Amino acid sequence: MLIRYSSSVTIWGSDSQQQLRYAFGMSDLQSVARASRQYEAKKAESEAQIEAARESMFDVWAAAAMAGYSPEEIAQNCGFSAAYVRRVVRERGVEPAARGPKRKK
């Protein structure tokens, strides 16, 4: 599993969530916060740049969710609600968490 973040996230392969979480690196939630700040900074710029920053931010959210982070954890680092994060990552193909007990923080 290889993940690369520059202005967008590229994911290759289909390894387990644990491997993806490890590959995403120690700055995964920091990437969420950084992408959110970039999105906010681009709001004053043209619509095309805003949309590109928004899509990039959503891709980072999806990668973090695939790495095993909950929408609540992602939302704490981006300023959007967990419900909105959940909806966006589902639109990008991230499956809902399995029913039953959730992992502890």
Side-chain angles (χ1 to χ4, degrees):
M1 179 66 53
L2 172 65
I3 296 179
R4 178 177 48 117
Y5 177 79
S6 57
S7 62
S8 65
V9 173
T10 307
I11 302 171
W12 294 277
S14 60
D15 292 337
S16 71
Q17 282 189 350
Q18 185 64 26
Q19 289 171 329
L20 181 60
R21 186 176 183 134
Y22 178 75
F24 199 61
M26 63 90 186
S27 64
D28 43 6
L29 293 178
Q30 292 171 350
S31 294
V32 169
R34 181 177 54 227
S36 296
R37 286 191 304 272
Q38 288 172 348
Y39 170 69
E40 293 296 326
K42 298 279 184 188
K43 279 186 175 179
E45 298 178 17
S46 75
E47 286 297 317
Q49 290 174 327
I50 292 171
E51 187 61 26
R54 182 174 176 261
E55 290 301 316
S56 176
M57 178 179 65
F58 292 165
D59 290 340
V60 172
W61 289 3
M66 285 185 220
Y69 287 96
S70 70
E72 291 77 16
E73 290 172 309
I74 296 168
Q76 289 174 350
N77 290 279
C78 70
F80 289 88
S81 72
Y84 184 67
V85 170
R86 189 175 296 108
R87 186 176 79 199
V88 167
V89 299
R90 295 273 162 37
E91 289 171 357
R92 283 170 166 56
V94 177
E95 295 295 321
R99 294 184 179 259
K102 305 299 183 226
R103 67 181 178 88
K104 302 274 186 210
K105 290 183 180 182

XYZ file of all heavy atoms in Angstrom:
820
model
N 0.849 -1.165 0.000
C 0.000 0.000 0.000
C 0.895 1.228 0.000
O 1.759 1.356 0.841
C -0.876 -0.030 1.250
C -1.794 1.133 1.383
S -3.089 1.259 0.161
C -3.817 -0.332 0.274
N 0.650 2.121 -0.939
C 1.457 3.328 -1.045
C 0.534 4.520 -1.111
O -0.388 4.552 -1.914
C 2.329 3.264 -2.305
C 3.094 4.524 -2.657
C 4.132 4.802 -1.569
C 3.774 4.368 -3.993
N 0.758 5.481 -0.254
C -0.032 6.705 -0.263
C 0.933 7.864 -0.372
O 1.946 7.909 0.308
C -0.885 6.841 1.010
C -1.902 5.724 1.048
C -1.560 8.186 1.057
C -2.762 5.756 2.257
N 0.583 8.783 -1.222
C 1.425 9.953 -1.421
C 0.529 11.171 -1.308
O -0.540 11.220 -1.905
C 2.049 9.887 -2.812
C 2.906 11.049 -3.160
C 3.524 10.829 -4.517
N 2.512 10.418 -5.461
C 2.163 11.120 -6.535
N 2.746 12.245 -6.811
N 1.226 10.678 -7.338
N 0.943 12.178 -0.532
C 0.165 13.412 -0.412
C 1.025 14.575 -0.825
O 2.095 14.794 -0.292
C -0.330 13.644 1.031
C -1.073 14.946 1.155
C -2.389 15.038 0.725
C -0.457 16.082 1.633
C -3.067 16.218 0.789
C -1.138 17.276 1.697
C -2.444 17.339 1.283
O -3.115 18.525 1.340
N 0.582 15.283 -1.840
C 1.188 16.570 -2.166
C 0.038 17.557 -2.161
O -0.321 18.070 -1.129
C 1.935 16.501 -3.498
O 1.060 16.082 -4.524
N -0.586 17.767 -3.317
C -1.812 18.544 -3.318
C -3.011 17.624 -3.489
O -4.131 18.055 -3.436
C -1.785 19.594 -4.423
O -1.702 18.935 -5.675
N -2.736 16.341 -3.705
C -3.803 15.347 -3.782
C -3.276 14.036 -3.216
O -2.091 13.880 -3.002
C -4.261 15.168 -5.229
O -3.209 14.634 -5.998
N -4.177 13.094 -2.990
C -3.804 11.798 -2.426
C -3.983 10.746 -3.502
O -4.994 10.709 -4.181
C -4.690 11.454 -1.212
C -4.423 10.050 -0.736
C -4.451 12.447 -0.110
N -2.996 9.895 -3.664
C -3.082 8.788 -4.600
C -2.926 7.500 -3.811
O -2.007 7.374 -3.020
C -1.962 8.886 -5.655
O -2.027 10.181 -6.245
C -2.143 7.827 -6.722
N -3.827 6.550 -4.036
C -3.807 5.298 -3.300
C -3.702 4.165 -4.304
O -4.458 4.100 -5.262
C -5.075 5.121 -2.453
C -5.227 6.290 -1.488
C -5.058 3.804 -1.723
C -6.528 6.302 -0.778
N -2.748 3.260 -4.086
C -2.590 2.083 -4.928
C -2.776 0.846 -4.073
O -2.357 0.816 -2.938
C -1.193 2.031 -5.544
C -0.918 3.117 -6.509
C -1.262 3.153 -7.825
C -0.241 4.334 -6.256
N -0.841 4.309 -8.402
C -0.201 5.063 -7.452
C 0.342 4.904 -5.125
C 0.387 6.295 -7.562
C 0.933 6.133 -5.235
C 0.949 6.811 -6.446
N -3.387 -0.166 -4.639
C -3.497 -1.440 -3.936
C -4.743 -1.533 -3.097
O -5.558 -0.631 -3.049
N -4.871 -2.668 -2.416
C -6.064 -2.868 -1.581
C -5.689 -3.670 -0.344
O -6.260 -4.709 -0.077
C -7.150 -3.576 -2.381
O -6.678 -4.820 -2.821
N -4.687 -3.213 0.382
C -4.284 -3.900 1.607
C -5.273 -3.616 2.724
O -6.199 -2.842 2.577
C -2.879 -3.466 2.040
C -1.818 -3.952 1.065
O -2.079 -4.933 0.359
O -0.745 -3.335 1.018
N -5.027 -4.199 3.864
C -5.932 -4.038 5.005
C -5.895 -2.617 5.526
O -4.994 -1.854 5.256
C -5.542 -5.003 6.122
O -4.331 -4.582 6.713
N -6.913 -2.258 6.324
C -6.971 -0.925 6.905
C -5.784 -0.650 7.806
O -5.278 0.462 7.840
C -8.251 -0.750 7.715
C -9.462 -0.503 6.877
C -10.657 -0.117 7.721
O -10.612 -0.214 8.945
N -11.703 0.319 7.085
N -5.323 -1.655 8.521
C -4.188 -1.452 9.417
C -2.951 -1.065 8.626
O -2.236 -0.155 9.005
C -3.917 -2.716 10.245
C -2.826 -2.520 11.285
C -3.201 -1.501 12.343
O -4.367 -1.282 12.622
N -2.224 -0.859 12.935
N -2.703 -1.735 7.496
C -1.560 -1.394 6.670
C -1.733 -0.008 6.070
O -0.788 0.751 5.985
C -1.368 -2.435 5.575
C -0.873 -3.755 6.119
C -0.885 -4.830 5.062
O -1.719 -4.823 4.167
N 0.044 -5.760 5.180
N -2.959 0.338 5.651
C -3.215 1.655 5.107
C -2.994 2.718 6.167
O -2.364 3.739 5.911
C -4.651 1.738 4.580
C -5.058 3.061 3.962
C -4.153 3.386 2.779
C -6.497 3.006 3.518
N -3.465 2.453 7.380
C -3.276 3.412 8.458
C -1.788 3.611 8.737
O -1.342 4.732 8.939
C -3.987 2.910 9.719
C -3.958 3.898 10.833
C -4.770 3.384 12.012
N -4.773 4.392 13.028
C -5.827 4.786 13.677
N -6.994 4.250 13.423
N -5.749 5.702 14.591
N -1.016 2.535 8.705
C 0.421 2.637 8.920
C 1.077 3.411 7.775
O 1.903 4.277 7.993
C 1.036 1.241 9.030
C 2.529 1.263 9.195
C 3.100 1.607 10.412
C 3.373 0.976 8.128
C 4.471 1.648 10.567
C 4.737 1.006 8.268
C 5.283 1.348 9.503
O 6.640 1.392 9.655
N 0.662 3.113 6.540
C 1.260 3.760 5.376
C 0.894 5.241 5.313
O 1.653 6.044 4.796
C 0.822 3.065 4.096
N -0.282 5.584 5.822
C -0.728 6.973 5.764
C 0.190 7.855 6.592
O 0.342 9.013 6.322
C -2.184 7.066 6.228
C -2.867 8.321 5.791
C -3.018 8.621 4.456
C -3.363 9.208 6.723
C -3.652 9.772 4.057
C -4.008 10.359 6.337
C -4.156 10.637 4.992
N 0.830 7.287 7.594
C 1.869 7.999 8.322
C 1.388 8.667 9.584
O 0.218 8.708 9.893
N 2.372 9.214 10.301
C 2.054 9.809 11.589
C 1.346 11.145 11.428
O 0.739 11.629 12.343
C 3.320 9.951 12.427
C 4.375 10.856 11.856
S 4.124 12.506 12.432
C 5.330 13.374 11.500
N 1.391 11.735 10.253
C 0.790 13.053 10.082
C -0.555 12.984 9.365
O -0.956 13.937 8.732
C 1.746 13.956 9.305
O 1.938 13.440 8.010
N -1.251 11.844 9.452
C -2.494 11.685 8.719
C -3.549 12.700 9.128
O -4.128 13.364 8.283
C -3.026 10.269 8.829
C -2.918 9.711 10.221
O -2.542 10.466 11.132
O -3.196 8.531 10.400
N -3.798 12.867 10.400
C -4.783 13.860 10.828
C -4.239 15.270 10.657
O -4.996 16.212 10.458
C -5.220 13.604 12.272
C -6.016 12.309 12.456
C -6.368 12.104 13.923
C -7.260 12.292 11.603
N -2.929 15.420 10.688
C -2.331 16.719 10.378
C -2.583 17.065 8.912
O -2.796 18.230 8.582
C -0.833 16.712 10.678
C -0.519 16.618 12.151
C 0.963 16.385 12.416
O 1.723 16.109 11.506
N 1.344 16.487 13.670
N -2.580 16.059 8.032
C -2.887 16.282 6.622
C -4.325 16.751 6.455
O -4.608 17.612 5.623
C -2.672 15.005 5.817
O -1.323 14.652 5.801
N -5.227 16.189 7.255
C -6.622 16.627 7.227
C -6.706 18.100 7.613
O -7.346 18.906 6.936
C -7.494 15.762 8.168
C -8.870 16.369 8.347
C -7.591 14.341 7.645
N -6.035 18.472 8.690
C -6.050 19.862 9.147
C -5.410 20.779 8.105
O -5.927 21.870 7.817
C -5.331 19.987 10.487
N -4.291 20.344 7.499
C -3.609 21.161 6.499
C -4.489 21.353 5.272
O -4.613 22.456 4.749
C -2.281 20.523 6.105
C -1.511 21.348 5.077
C -0.165 20.775 4.711
N -0.295 19.390 4.283
C 0.477 18.412 4.702
N 1.459 18.648 5.560
N 0.309 17.188 4.263
N -5.136 20.283 4.804
C -6.012 20.383 3.639
C -7.189 21.311 3.920
O -7.603 22.085 3.052
C -6.511 19.000 3.237
N -7.701 21.273 5.144
C -8.803 22.164 5.521
C -8.352 23.616 5.538
O -9.069 24.505 5.074
C -9.351 21.778 6.887
O -9.911 20.487 6.820
N -7.142 23.864 6.057
C -6.614 25.241 6.049
C -6.401 25.740 4.626
O -6.698 26.898 4.318
C -5.310 25.318 6.839
C -5.492 25.242 8.340
C -4.216 25.594 9.087
N -3.086 24.771 8.695
C -2.768 23.588 9.241
N -3.530 23.100 10.218
N -1.719 22.905 8.830
N -5.903 24.869 3.741
C -5.694 25.262 2.348
C -7.032 25.585 1.690
O -7.137 26.549 0.928
C -4.991 24.145 1.569
C -3.537 23.991 1.939
C -2.900 22.764 1.301
O -3.578 21.894 0.762
N -1.587 22.691 1.377
N -8.044 24.794 1.999
C -9.377 25.050 1.459
C -9.887 26.418 1.916
O -10.382 27.209 1.122
C -10.335 23.944 1.895
C -11.787 24.224 1.591
C -12.238 24.234 0.288
C -12.689 24.476 2.614
C -13.569 24.493 -0.001
C -14.016 24.730 2.342
C -14.451 24.737 1.029
O -15.765 24.996 0.762
N -9.742 26.697 3.202
C -10.187 27.994 3.722
C -9.422 29.145 3.077
O -9.991 30.195 2.770
C -10.027 28.031 5.240
C -10.939 27.081 5.989
C -12.410 27.406 5.834
O -12.757 28.596 5.739
O -13.211 26.461 5.801
N -8.119 28.965 2.847
C -7.301 30.012 2.234
C -7.713 30.264 0.787
O -7.640 31.391 0.298
C -5.825 29.643 2.305
N -8.166 29.227 0.101
C -8.541 29.347 -1.311
C -9.925 29.953 -1.505
O -10.285 30.308 -2.627
C -8.511 27.979 -1.990
C -7.170 27.319 -2.002
C -6.313 27.845 -3.094
C -5.002 27.082 -3.113
N -4.047 27.650 -4.006
N -10.704 30.091 -0.447
C -12.062 30.629 -0.589
C -12.067 32.008 -1.236
O -13.003 32.352 -1.938
C -12.758 30.696 0.765
C -13.340 29.397 1.213
C -14.130 29.601 2.488
C -14.836 28.344 2.906
N -15.576 28.531 4.150
N -11.017 32.793 -1.012
C -10.958 34.136 -1.573
C -10.514 34.125 -3.035
O -10.574 35.149 -3.704
C -10.009 34.997 -0.750
N -10.085 32.999 -3.539
C -9.591 32.899 -4.907
C -10.702 32.435 -5.853
O -11.854 32.313 -5.462
C -8.392 31.958 -4.949
C -7.238 32.481 -4.112
C -6.043 31.554 -4.090
O -5.961 30.673 -4.964
O -5.205 31.727 -3.208
N -10.344 32.175 -7.082
C -11.336 31.832 -8.103
C -12.077 30.537 -7.782
O -11.598 29.695 -7.031
C -10.670 31.718 -9.466
O -9.937 30.515 -9.546
N -13.251 30.397 -8.384
C -14.087 29.216 -8.143
C -13.385 27.924 -8.531
O -13.524 26.915 -7.840
C -15.408 29.339 -8.912
C -16.376 30.319 -8.310
C -16.827 29.902 -6.919
O -17.117 28.710 -6.690
O -16.900 30.781 -6.058
N -12.616 27.934 -9.608
C -11.916 26.716 -10.038
C -10.884 26.293 -8.997
O -10.749 25.106 -8.688
C -11.242 26.933 -11.381
N -10.174 27.229 -8.453
C -9.184 26.920 -7.424
C -9.860 26.461 -6.143
O -9.359 25.567 -5.458
C -8.292 28.131 -7.157
C -7.367 28.440 -8.316
C -6.595 29.720 -8.100
O -7.103 30.661 -7.491
N -5.381 29.765 -8.608
N -10.980 27.058 -5.818
C -11.738 26.648 -4.638
C -12.198 25.198 -4.797
O -12.050 24.387 -3.889
C -12.944 27.577 -4.391
C -12.463 28.961 -3.977
C -13.878 26.995 -3.348
C -13.561 30.000 -3.932
N -12.757 24.876 -5.957
C -13.243 23.518 -6.190
C -12.103 22.505 -6.155
O -12.245 21.420 -5.602
C -13.985 23.441 -7.529
C -14.662 22.121 -7.775
C -15.720 21.773 -6.738
O -16.305 22.673 -6.118
O -15.947 20.569 -6.531
N -10.946 22.873 -6.714
C -9.786 21.968 -6.695
C -9.322 21.725 -5.263
O -9.018 20.590 -4.875
C -8.650 22.544 -7.529
N -9.275 22.782 -4.436
C -8.869 22.641 -3.034
C -9.887 21.808 -2.266
O -9.526 20.978 -1.428
C -8.707 24.011 -2.386
N -11.166 22.007 -2.564
C -12.236 21.267 -1.895
C -12.135 19.774 -2.214
O -12.215 18.923 -1.319
C -13.571 21.840 -2.350
C -14.780 21.240 -1.727
C -16.017 22.034 -2.198
N -17.205 21.452 -1.699
C -17.999 20.642 -2.406
N -17.712 20.349 -3.644
N -19.083 20.140 -1.864
N -11.961 19.447 -3.498
C -11.838 18.043 -3.900
C -10.593 17.401 -3.285
O -10.628 16.251 -2.870
C -11.809 17.919 -5.426
C -13.139 18.241 -6.086
C -14.268 17.346 -5.605
O -14.067 16.124 -5.495
O -15.365 17.884 -5.339
N -9.510 18.159 -3.219
C -8.288 17.654 -2.594
C -8.522 17.365 -1.120
O -8.098 16.329 -0.600
C -7.160 18.673 -2.764
O -6.007 18.254 -2.098
N -9.215 18.277 -0.440
C -9.526 18.088 0.973
C -10.391 16.841 1.164
O -10.134 16.019 2.046
C -10.251 19.317 1.518
C -10.657 19.205 2.974
S -11.487 20.667 3.606
C -12.990 20.693 2.645
N -11.397 16.658 0.307
C -12.270 15.498 0.413
C -11.502 14.208 0.152
O -11.764 13.181 0.786
C -13.447 15.610 -0.549
C -14.432 16.702 -0.193
C -15.357 17.128 -1.121
C -14.436 17.301 1.056
C -16.283 18.109 -0.815
C -15.353 18.294 1.379
C -16.280 18.701 0.436
N -10.526 14.227 -0.773
C -9.702 13.046 -1.030
C -8.877 12.680 0.198
O -8.703 11.500 0.523
C -8.776 13.269 -2.229
C -9.533 13.326 -3.547
O -10.684 12.839 -3.604
O -8.970 13.864 -4.519
N -8.372 13.693 0.896
C -7.604 13.443 2.124
C -8.520 12.855 3.189
O -8.137 11.924 3.903
C -6.910 14.735 2.614
C -6.291 14.530 3.988
C -5.854 15.177 1.622
N -9.734 13.359 3.291
C -10.694 12.804 4.250
C -10.939 11.330 3.948
O -10.951 10.490 4.851
C -12.031 13.524 4.172
C -12.070 14.912 4.693
C -11.036 15.665 5.195
C -13.222 15.749 4.731
N -11.485 16.901 5.542
C -12.818 16.986 5.276
C -14.537 15.575 4.360
C -13.700 18.038 5.459
C -15.422 16.621 4.543
C -15.001 17.842 5.091
N -11.162 11.006 2.666
C -11.439 9.622 2.274
C -10.245 8.727 2.596
O -10.422 7.605 3.093
C -11.782 9.548 0.789
N -9.033 9.204 2.342
C -7.837 8.407 2.649
C -7.720 8.170 4.154
O -7.381 7.069 4.588
C -6.590 9.105 2.118
N -8.014 9.202 4.950
C -7.962 9.044 6.403
C -9.020 8.048 6.869
O -8.763 7.212 7.740
C -8.147 10.388 7.095
N -10.215 8.109 6.279
C -11.278 7.166 6.643
C -10.897 5.742 6.247
O -11.115 4.793 7.001
C -12.591 7.567 5.981
N -10.288 5.580 5.072
C -9.838 4.249 4.650
C -8.721 3.731 5.551
O -8.550 2.530 5.703
C -9.341 4.288 3.210
C -10.432 4.362 2.196
S -9.700 4.243 0.564
C -10.672 5.435 -0.307
N -7.986 4.663 6.152
C -6.901 4.272 7.055
C -7.435 3.861 8.422
O -6.678 3.433 9.283
C -5.912 5.425 7.213
N -8.740 4.009 8.639
C -9.329 3.547 9.884
C -9.749 4.638 10.844
O -10.221 4.349 11.935
N -9.599 5.901 10.453
C -10.032 6.984 11.335
C -11.529 7.203 11.189
O -12.079 7.111 10.097
C -9.279 8.277 11.015
C -7.851 8.207 11.474
C -6.834 7.856 10.614
C -7.529 8.452 12.801
C -5.533 7.751 11.043
C -6.232 8.353 13.250
C -5.236 8.010 12.362
O -3.947 7.893 12.801
N -12.189 7.496 12.284
C -13.636 7.702 12.274
C -13.947 9.109 11.764
O -13.102 10.003 11.823
C -14.199 7.545 13.686
O -13.782 8.624 14.493
N -15.160 9.317 11.263
C -15.558 10.662 10.854
C -15.448 11.683 11.993
O -15.132 12.843 11.766
C -17.010 10.484 10.410
C -17.081 9.067 9.974
C -16.163 8.324 10.912
N -15.658 11.216 13.220
C -15.535 12.111 14.375
C -14.095 12.583 14.548
O -13.844 13.759 14.826
C -16.019 11.419 15.652
C -17.525 11.174 15.698
C -17.987 9.998 14.834
O -17.151 9.160 14.424
O -19.195 9.935 14.567
N -13.134 11.672 14.377
C -11.722 12.046 14.495
C -11.310 12.998 13.382
O -10.580 13.957 13.614
C -10.830 10.803 14.457
C -10.952 9.932 15.688
C -10.216 8.620 15.541
O -10.418 7.907 14.532
O -9.429 8.313 16.460
N -11.796 12.742 12.170
C -11.482 13.620 11.037
C -12.106 14.989 11.264
O -11.460 16.019 11.052
C -11.971 12.986 9.723
C -11.204 11.683 9.460
C -11.815 13.957 8.561
C -11.775 10.829 8.352
N -13.356 15.026 11.723
C -14.066 16.287 11.932
C -13.380 17.159 12.988
O -13.399 18.389 12.875
C -15.510 16.019 12.342
N -12.772 16.549 13.980
C -12.076 17.320 15.011
C -10.889 18.093 14.441
O -10.440 19.058 15.036
C -11.567 16.401 16.119
C -12.654 15.834 16.975
C -12.130 14.803 17.968
O -10.977 14.382 17.899
N -12.990 14.410 18.889
N -10.403 17.681 13.273
C -9.227 18.301 12.681
C -9.531 19.149 11.452
O -8.604 19.631 10.812
C -8.217 17.212 12.296
C -7.609 16.581 13.514
O -6.699 17.122 14.100
N -8.153 15.446 13.922
N -10.806 19.316 11.112
C -11.093 20.058 9.883
C -12.156 21.139 10.015
O -12.315 21.932 9.101
C -11.467 19.105 8.762
S -13.057 18.315 8.950
N -12.915 21.176 11.078
C -13.905 22.232 11.244
C -15.261 21.938 10.618
O -16.131 22.798 10.617
N -15.452 20.763 10.048
C -16.746 20.361 9.526
C -17.349 19.349 10.483
O -16.646 18.746 11.278
C -16.597 19.736 8.132
C -16.246 20.724 7.058
C -14.918 21.029 6.795
C -17.232 21.359 6.322
C -14.579 21.941 5.819
C -16.899 22.272 5.334
C -15.571 22.568 5.084
N -18.660 19.137 10.373
C -19.309 18.188 11.274
C -18.988 16.752 10.869
O -18.686 16.455 9.707
C -20.828 18.392 11.260
O -21.368 17.939 10.027
N -19.081 15.858 11.834
C -18.833 14.439 11.577
C -19.853 13.894 10.575
O -19.517 13.058 9.733
C -18.877 13.649 12.875
N -21.084 14.374 10.632
C -22.114 13.909 9.696
C -21.750 14.294 8.260
O -21.912 13.501 7.329
C -23.464 14.495 10.072
N -21.245 15.508 8.076
C -20.841 15.948 6.738
C -19.638 15.149 6.251
O -19.592 14.696 5.102
C -20.526 17.446 6.738
C -20.192 17.982 5.374
C -21.156 18.028 4.377
C -18.909 18.438 5.073
C -20.853 18.517 3.117
C -18.595 18.925 3.828
C -19.578 18.972 2.847
O -19.265 19.448 1.599
N -18.654 14.935 7.115
C -17.481 14.129 6.763
C -17.929 12.729 6.369
O -17.488 12.174 5.350
C -16.465 14.075 7.922
C -15.371 13.055 7.641
C -15.859 15.448 8.183
N -18.827 12.151 7.147
C -19.336 10.800 6.874
C -19.985 10.749 5.488
O -19.734 9.832 4.701
C -20.345 10.409 7.959
C -20.783 8.980 7.937
C -21.690 8.640 9.120
N -20.987 8.762 10.391
C -21.184 9.732 11.293
N -22.097 10.669 11.086
N -20.496 9.781 12.410
N -20.806 11.739 5.176
C -21.481 11.768 3.878
C -20.483 11.887 2.730
O -20.577 11.177 1.719
C -22.480 12.928 3.825
C -23.319 12.911 2.556
C -24.349 13.993 2.555
N -23.661 15.234 2.202
C -24.137 16.438 2.451
N -25.279 16.576 3.082
N -23.475 17.499 2.085
N -19.487 12.756 2.871
C -18.497 12.962 1.820
C -17.675 11.695 1.580
O -17.462 11.293 0.437
C -17.571 14.162 2.155
C -16.361 14.203 1.244
C -18.349 15.463 2.072
N -17.217 11.052 2.651
C -16.383 9.855 2.460
C -17.206 8.697 1.898
O -16.684 7.894 1.129
C -15.597 9.451 3.734
C -14.653 10.557 4.150
C -16.498 9.043 4.859
N -18.489 8.612 2.228
C -19.348 7.573 1.647
C -19.503 7.814 0.145
O -19.522 6.878 -0.649
C -20.719 7.544 2.317
C -20.689 7.145 3.764
C -20.759 5.663 3.974
N -20.337 5.175 5.255
C -20.494 5.713 6.452
N -21.069 6.865 6.592
N -20.052 5.110 7.535
N -19.636 9.088 -0.263
C -19.741 9.428 -1.680
C -18.475 9.036 -2.434
O -18.512 8.820 -3.636
C -19.998 10.923 -1.860
C -21.380 11.361 -1.435
C -21.546 12.872 -1.428
O -20.558 13.598 -1.692
O -22.661 13.326 -1.155
N -17.359 8.952 -1.735
C -16.088 8.577 -2.352
C -15.789 7.087 -2.204
O -14.677 6.653 -2.423
C -14.965 9.418 -1.765
C -14.995 10.804 -2.377
C -14.097 11.770 -1.709
N -13.891 12.969 -2.491
C -14.824 13.780 -2.951
N -16.076 13.508 -2.732
N -14.526 14.864 -3.638
N -16.785 6.320 -1.808
C -16.660 4.869 -1.821
C -16.164 4.223 -0.540
O -15.897 3.028 -0.528
N -16.048 4.968 0.535
C -15.614 4.378 1.804
C -16.816 3.702 2.445
O -17.872 4.309 2.614
C -15.022 5.450 2.750
C -14.652 4.847 4.086
C -13.827 6.123 2.105
N -16.647 2.441 2.769
C -17.731 1.658 3.360
C -17.975 2.086 4.809
O -17.040 2.467 5.516
C -17.392 0.168 3.321
C -17.299 -0.393 1.920
C -18.629 -0.354 1.184
O -19.671 -0.607 1.820
O -18.609 -0.054 -0.021
N -19.225 1.987 5.272
C -19.509 2.282 6.686
C -18.768 1.306 7.596
O -18.459 0.185 7.192
C -21.016 2.079 6.807
C -21.543 2.037 5.424
C -20.423 1.632 4.527
N -18.516 1.735 8.806
C -17.869 0.864 9.790
C -18.788 -0.312 10.095
O -20.015 -0.199 10.041
C -17.574 1.631 11.070
N -18.191 -1.438 10.408
C -18.967 -2.629 10.739
C -19.781 -2.387 12.009
O -19.369 -1.635 12.894
C -18.037 -3.814 10.938
N -20.914 -3.027 12.076
C -21.731 -2.914 13.287
C -21.009 -3.548 14.459
O -20.176 -4.414 14.279
C -23.078 -3.590 13.079
C -23.920 -2.884 12.055
C -25.283 -3.538 11.973
N -26.091 -2.847 11.013
C -27.026 -1.960 11.325
N -27.278 -1.687 12.585
N -27.722 -1.361 10.389
N -21.359 -3.116 15.645
C -20.750 -3.688 16.837
C -19.874 -2.678 17.536
O -19.881 -1.497 17.217
N -19.082 -3.137 18.491
C -18.240 -2.219 19.265
C -17.217 -1.539 18.359
O -16.674 -2.129 17.446
C -17.528 -3.127 20.272
C -18.191 -4.447 20.190
C -18.942 -4.510 18.927
N -17.013 -0.272 18.617
C -16.030 0.506 17.853
C -14.721 0.538 18.631
O -14.691 0.345 19.840
C -16.538 1.936 17.624
C -17.886 2.023 16.979
C -17.892 1.386 15.609
C -19.243 1.562 14.957
N -19.766 0.411 14.345
N -13.663 0.839 17.918
C -12.356 0.885 18.573
C -12.278 2.056 19.547
O -12.927 3.085 19.358
C -11.229 0.955 17.544
C -11.188 2.244 16.758
C -10.043 2.172 15.758
N -10.014 3.368 14.969
C -9.355 4.477 15.313
N -8.674 4.506 16.410
N -9.391 5.538 14.539
N -11.491 1.898 20.563
C -11.304 2.943 21.570
C -10.326 3.975 21.035
O -9.452 3.663 20.250
C -10.751 2.349 22.868
C -11.618 1.270 23.457
C -12.676 1.859 24.309
C -13.412 0.713 24.978
N -14.760 0.993 25.243
N -10.450 5.200 21.529
C -9.545 6.270 21.093
C -8.185 6.104 21.693
O -7.939 5.562 22.669
C -10.093 7.626 21.466
C -11.303 7.970 20.646
C -11.781 9.352 20.985
C -12.995 9.684 20.150
N -13.479 10.988 20.389
